[in-house]
């Protein structure tokens, strides 16, 4: 949606002009999937697909929410912020406001119009973008200084405890802390981070959505978390580790006998994926894109066979990408079970890539994939209108 259209919508819904624009980014993750909640390192980057919040401070005792493409207004009464857990739309905003208030931030009434260009259910973290953008808005209107890492943590808490999804810190961190043209190498056990230029030379990342209907992703995700916790507890009986990410592949080989069935497979994915993150960052730093692509493929196979979070749609989409001569590697990103893939594709070959992969995918699956024009941008932006 163009900015002028969004501002017009704001005015016709709320009867006054928007005064500020706060945004937070959706994200991709280059590599390091399903390891953030195991203390591993992840390597996400913030996107031009974002949650845009057009805003006006009212000082009333209510936060009024409106959304592009959805009729009506959702009202959150500031002294009843605990009451909105069941909302289908507006629960992320209410959760963020609730936990900010709990921290002592004065929540100021405002009108907010959400133009979220991160497709919902795409694995590009629309929920984190909504949470972080809302947190920035409410802090700015309360006139408090905020630390972006603190906002990411508070947003994660809202998602965990208010919306009931037991996610790790990757998405909210990338949404808040992303930097233009860089990926963030984030150690999820310490929150130490490093920006690494996402320099792909003649290549670029193509983001494709398999468009599988969103189905029980949150509950399947929570099951995976329980499985890796079971693995960790078993290993802790013989090894002094705080998280699975502390284990090298060699350490894991020594303790694998303690695990069986899916629990063993899940833990093996985590340990090997952590190892791949290290190798992938090294490869990127020296410009070895072939190696980076190979590691992306390995990551996908592991998410398919060991972690079992892909499904036929994501497997088909990434396999079709891998068949292309100008594609160095492809994998699913995010929680999985649907959502997006990223592929490293030669810039000059992108149009043909999208045409061929798109056609073959629609033939195989029966509906189309979507391909997005993406760029890597800053996480949070704040602007007076
Ligand atoms: C979702 C979660 C993240 C992370 C990924 C998988 O996006 O929100 O915390 O666990 O899945 O890597």
């Amino acid at each position: 949606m163009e900015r002028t259209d969004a501002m017009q919508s704001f005015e016709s819904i709320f009867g006054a002009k928007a005064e500020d624009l706060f945004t937070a980014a959706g994200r991709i993750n280059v590599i390091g999937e399903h390891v953030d909640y195991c203390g591993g390192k992840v390597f996400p980057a913030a996107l031009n697909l974002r949650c845009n919040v057009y805003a006006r401070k009212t000082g009333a005792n209510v936060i009024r929410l409106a959304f592009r493409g959805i009729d009506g207004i959702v009202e959150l009464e500031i002294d009843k912020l605990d009451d909105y857990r069941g909302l289908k739309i507006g629960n992320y905003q209410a959760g963020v406001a609730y936990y900010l208030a709990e921290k002592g931030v004065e929540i100021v009434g405002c009108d907010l119009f959400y133009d979220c260009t991160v497709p919902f259910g795409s694995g590009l973290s629309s929920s984190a973008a909504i949470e972080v953008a809302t947190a920035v808005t409410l802090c700015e209107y309360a006139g408090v200084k905020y630390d972006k890492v603190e906002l990411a943590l508070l947003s994660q808490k809202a998602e965990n405890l208010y919306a009931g999804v037991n996610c790790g810190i990757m998405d909210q961190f990338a949404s808040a802390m992303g930097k233009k043209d860089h990926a963030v190498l984030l150690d999820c056990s310490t929150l130490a981070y490093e920006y690494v230029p996402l320099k792909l030379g003649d290549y670029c990342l193509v983001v494709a959505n398999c468009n599988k209907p969103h189905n029980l992703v949150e509950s399947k995700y929570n099951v995976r978390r329980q499985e890796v916790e079971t693995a960790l507890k078993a290993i802790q009986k013989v090894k002094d580790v705080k998280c699975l990410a502390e284990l090298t592949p060699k350490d894991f080989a020594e303790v694998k006998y303690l695990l069986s069935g899916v629990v063993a497979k899940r833990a093996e994915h985590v340990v090997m994926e952590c190892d791949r993150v290290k190798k992938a960052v090294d490869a990127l730093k020296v410009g070895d894109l072939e190696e980076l692509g190979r590691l992306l493929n390995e990551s996908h196979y592991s998410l398919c066979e060991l972690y079992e979070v892909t499904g036929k749609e994501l497997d088909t989409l990434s396999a079709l990408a891998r068949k292309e001569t100008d594609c160095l590697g492809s994998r699913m990103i995010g929680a999985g079970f649907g959502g997006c893939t990223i592929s490293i594709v030669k810039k000059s070959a992108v149009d043909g890539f999208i045409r061929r992969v798109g056609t073959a995918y629609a033939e195989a699956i029966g509906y189309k994939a979507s391909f997005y024009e993406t760029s890597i941008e800053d996480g949070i932006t704040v602007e007076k209108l």
Side-chain angles (χ1 to χ4, degrees):
M1 188 177 213
E2 293 294 328
R3 176 178 294 205
T4 48
D5 296 337
M7 288 175 67
Q8 249 168 28
S9 297
F10 187 100
E11 206 173 335
S12 69
I13 295 167
F14 294 119
K17 281 192 176 2
E19 291 166 357
D20 304 277
L21 173 59
F22 305 105
T23 86
R27 60 107 192 85
I28 51 163
N29 182 23
V30 180
I31 197 160
E33 216 62 85
H34 282 285
V35 300
D36 62 344
Y37 49 83
C38 300
K41 287 188 182 170
V42 293
F43 200 35
L47 290 175
N48 56 330
L49 302 173
R50 337 183 46 92
C51 176
N52 301 298
V53 183
Y54 293 85
R56 181 179 84 98
K57 195 169 170 171
T58 61
N61 206 24
V62 63
I63 302 170
R64 297 196 295 175
L65 310 172
F67 307 87
R68 172 171 58 92
I70 300 174
D71 286 339
I73 294 180
V74 174
E75 297 202 348
L76 308 175
E77 286 183 47
I78 290 172
D79 34 25
K80 293 191 186 151
L81 287 172
D82 201 9
D83 291 356
Y84 302 106
R85 292 167 194 268
L87 280 187
K88 261 195 146 171
I89 298 174
N91 63 334
Y92 293 129
Q93 288 86 344
V96 165
Y98 176 81
Y99 285 109
L100 280 172
E102 193 191 65
K103 261 185 69 177
V105 174
E106 186 203 347
I107 304 299
V108 177
C110 49
D111 290 339
L112 310 177
F113 176 78
Y114 284 78
D115 173 24
C116 188
T117 61
V118 191
F120 297 117
S122 62
L124 300 176
S125 283
S126 53
S127 57
I130 292 170
E131 289 151 4
V132 173
T134 303
V136 173
T137 304
L138 295 177
C139 285
E140 290 278 345
Y141 281 173
V144 293
K145 278 221 166 74
Y146 53 89
D147 173 80
K148 290 180 186 174
V149 175
E150 292 294 324
L151 284 197
L153 286 164
L154 185 130
S155 298
Q156 181 201 14
K157 187 171 175 188
E159 181 139 354
N160 289 168
L161 302 179
Y162 203 94
V165 182
N166 208 4
C167 66
I169 187 61
M170 171 169 78
D171 302 348
Q172 289 79 8
F173 198 98
S175 182
M177 295 291 291
K179 179 171 162 179
K180 189 170 174 52
D181 297 329
H182 290 71
V184 194
L185 178 60
L186 169 67
D187 182 333
C188 299
S189 64
T190 61
L191 296 190
Y193 62 93
E194 176 194 340
Y195 291 115
V196 180
L198 202 46
K199 276 202 194 126
L200 299 177
D202 294 340
Y203 287 80
C204 64
L205 289 175
V206 174
V207 181
N209 189 342
C210 75
N211 286 331
K212 179 180 182 174
H214 199 71
N215 179 20
L216 297 175
V217 174
E218 289 82 5
S219 59
K220 292 179 195 160
Y221 181 92
N222 288 348
V223 171
R224 292 298 179 283
R225 282 209 65 161
Q226 286 159 8
E227 289 165 347
V228 290
E229 266 150 40
T230 306
L232 177 63
K233 284 209 187 95
I235 292 169
Q236 280 172 332
K237 290 197 180 122
V238 301
K239 236 183 165 51
D240 182 22
V241 285
K242 283 189 299 302
C243 57
L244 285 182
E246 276 179 37
L247 298 167
T248 63
K250 187 167 164 281
D251 295 335
F252 183 69
E254 287 164 17
V255 295
K256 202 178 162 185
Y257 72 94
L258 293 164
L259 312 174
S260 62
V262 292
V263 170
K265 285 162 73 169
R266 309 298 188 243
E268 183 171 346
H269 163 77
V270 171
V271 172
M272 299 310 291
E273 182 77 354
C274 289
D275 192 53
R276 277 189 287 275
V277 172
K278 233 184 287 154
K279 291 179 177 155
V281 173
D282 289 347
L284 179 63
K285 283 181 176 168
V286 299
D288 187 351
L289 298 180
E290 297 215 344
E291 172 68 357
L292 180 64
R294 196 188 61 74
L295 291 160
L296 258 57
N297 290 339
E298 265 188 27
S299 170
H300 186 91
Y301 298 139
S302 179
L303 289 158
C304 169
E305 278 150 34
L306 298 177
Y307 223 67
E308 298 179 284
V309 291
T310 57
K312 106 172 165 266
E313 298 79 3
L314 287 168
D315 290 338
T316 303
L317 194 54
S318 66
L320 288 168
R322 246 172 257 125
K323 268 198 198 159
E324 293 279 317
T325 38
D326 289 319
C327 172
L328 297 179
S330 181
R331 71 176 201 87
M332 62 143 274
I333 58 169
F337 307 107
C340 284
T341 60
I342 53 166
S343 307
I344 306 177
V345 183
K346 203 172 222 165
K347 284 178 186 157
S348 59
V350 168
D351 289 347
F353 173 91
I354 291 177
R355 204 173 48 245
R356 285 186 298 274
V357 172
T359 306
Y361 179 81
E363 268 167 23
I365 299 296
Y367 52 81
K368 286 184 178 167
S370 308
F371 295 84
Y372 303 122
E373 245 177 63
T374 58
S375 57
I376 306 302
E377 302 294 337
D378 287 340
I380 290 173
T381 69
V382 172
E383 195 183 326
K384 267 257 156 274
L385 293 173

